Amino acid sequence: MRFLIYILFGILIGNAHGQVANPQTTPSEKRQHSPLASQSRSPDGIPSLERAVDSIITNGIKKEAFPGAQVLVAKQGDIIFHKAYGYHTYDSLRPVGLHDRYDLASVTKITAALPALMKMYEDGLIDLDAPFSDYWKPWKYRKDKSDLTLREILAHQAGLTPYIVFLNEVMKHGKLKKRFVRKELKGKFSLRAYEDLYVHRRFQRKMYRMINRSKVSAEKKYRYSGLAFLLFPEVVEDLSGNSYEYY
């Protein structure tokens, strides 16, 4: 699959949240070359892939988009590039190391939904410039969403609401609502949220309704939104005929 030859499977960009430094990381581990020797080289001897990644990441750090990052590129199971940049936080106290661990959080968008969409595109199952409502039927009946394309959504230029705090819907006065959340797997409480915490299946429908009814900005400029990524798993299953996990 030519579109999946390189996936930045670990562009683990972060701030202080969720990062755990490995005390065994040494300065010599800041860079790992693997088969980069086979990459074409620029006149100064630096492989072209490394030069391109260096440019992107150092520019992001310089502009304070993030304090540091770890980039890993793999092809067919082999790591061909792995390098750490910058620091864990903007105070520049703890350098990022190759063995630091991260809370994946929104990186799951890159490592799960996005590769699935890329494969569906290659397989001819989706058209980036077709209305997303062709694949998510409830949006056909939403005037502000019916014409939004998948390309606009993936570029975060569709005007979608950035996020919805669904946690507020399962809590009241600081306690979990038992009609939505239980501490054991039982009956319709089958959606695991955390260890020993299960959500009722009907909450998923409630979540979809809230996303379908969310506001859309008429101004189509960059505005980050993760809402559609909560819909993609069901779209993948509908179009592929496989479970999201398998696909």
Side-chain angles (χ1 to χ4, degrees):
M1 298 178 291
R2 64 185 184 279
F3 288 97
L4 289 176
I5 289 177
Y6 291 111
I7 295 177
L8 297 184
F9 208 79
I11 183 163
L12 303 178
I13 297 173
N15 48 31
H17 299 96
Q19 300 185 4
V20 181
N22 187 327
Q24 296 178 349
T25 300
T26 65
S28 63
E29 292 178 303
K30 293 291 285 182
R31 185 155 133 186
Q32 174 179 320
H33 280 287
S34 298
L36 265 180
S38 62
Q39 292 285 326
S40 61
R41 292 177 176 269
S42 56
D44 58 9
I46 300 176
S48 56
L49 174 60
E50 182 174 6
R51 173 178 285 278
V53 175
D54 283 354
S55 175
I56 294 170
I57 300 300
T58 55
N59 184 56
I61 293 174
K62 187 181 296 184
K63 292 187 176 181
E64 297 189 346
F66 44 86
Q70 185 181 154
V71 180
L72 186 151
V73 182
K75 179 182 178 181
Q76 297 177 348
D78 294 325
I79 295 174
I80 64 172
F81 180 80
H82 191 188
K83 189 172 179 180
Y85 301 81
Y87 295 84
H88 278 239
T89 54
Y90 286 107
D91 53 20
S92 302
L93 295 177
R94 180 183 293 171
V96 175
L98 294 183
H99 299 290
D100 291 350
R101 292 171 295 183
Y102 296 75
D103 177 358
L104 283 175
S106 286
V107 176
T108 53
K109 298 185 182 74
I110 301 170
T111 59
L114 186 58
L117 292 173
M118 292 164 71
K119 186 177 188 305
M120 288 202 300
Y121 173 78
E122 286 193 334
D123 292 343
L125 297 177
I126 57 173
D127 179 348
L128 296 178
D129 296 306
F132 182 61
S133 60
D134 286 355
Y135 314 117
W136 185 253
K137 302 304 181 184
W139 283 17
K140 279 192 174 294
Y141 312 103
R142 296 283 168 182
K143 187 176 180 180
D144 58 354
K145 297 183 180 70
S146 60
D147 295 326
L148 299 180
T149 67
L150 188 55
R151 188 184 298 275
E152 290 174 321
I153 293 169
L154 291 174
H156 300 284
Q157 294 179 344
L160 294 173
T161 297
Y163 60 89
I164 297 172
V165 184
F166 294 107
L167 182 63
N168 292 342
E169 303 300 317
V170 299
M171 297 194 72
K172 186 175 183 180
H173 305 309
K175 295 183 178 180
L176 293 170
K177 297 179 181 178
K178 290 186 176 180
R179 73 174 185 272
F180 286 135
V181 183
R182 299 285 174 87
K183 292 185 177 181
E184 60 180 10
L185 176 63
K186 186 177 181 180
K188 294 184 179 180
F189 290 87
S190 58
L191 301 176
R192 185 179 180 186
Y194 299 99
E195 186 174 358
D196 299 327
L197 200 63
Y198 298 88
V199 180
H200 196 288
R201 294 199 66 84
R202 74 169 179 268
F203 186 77
Q204 190 173 44
R205 295 195 297 272
K206 178 180 178 66
M207 181 181 73
Y208 291 159
R209 285 197 302 272
M210 293 177 70
I211 294 173
N212 295 338
R213 297 170 181 172
S214 62
K215 294 182 178 180
V216 177
S217 172
E219 193 173 14
K220 303 304 179 185
K221 64 178 184 178
Y222 179 83
R223 186 189 191 201
Y224 178 85
S225 174
L227 294 187
F229 283 86
L230 298 172
L231 309 179
F232 289 152
E234 188 153 326
V235 170
V236 169
E237 291 186 348
D238 288 346
L239 296 180
S240 71
N242 295 299
S243 70
Y244 181 60
E245 291 79 4
Y246 176 82
Y247 191 81

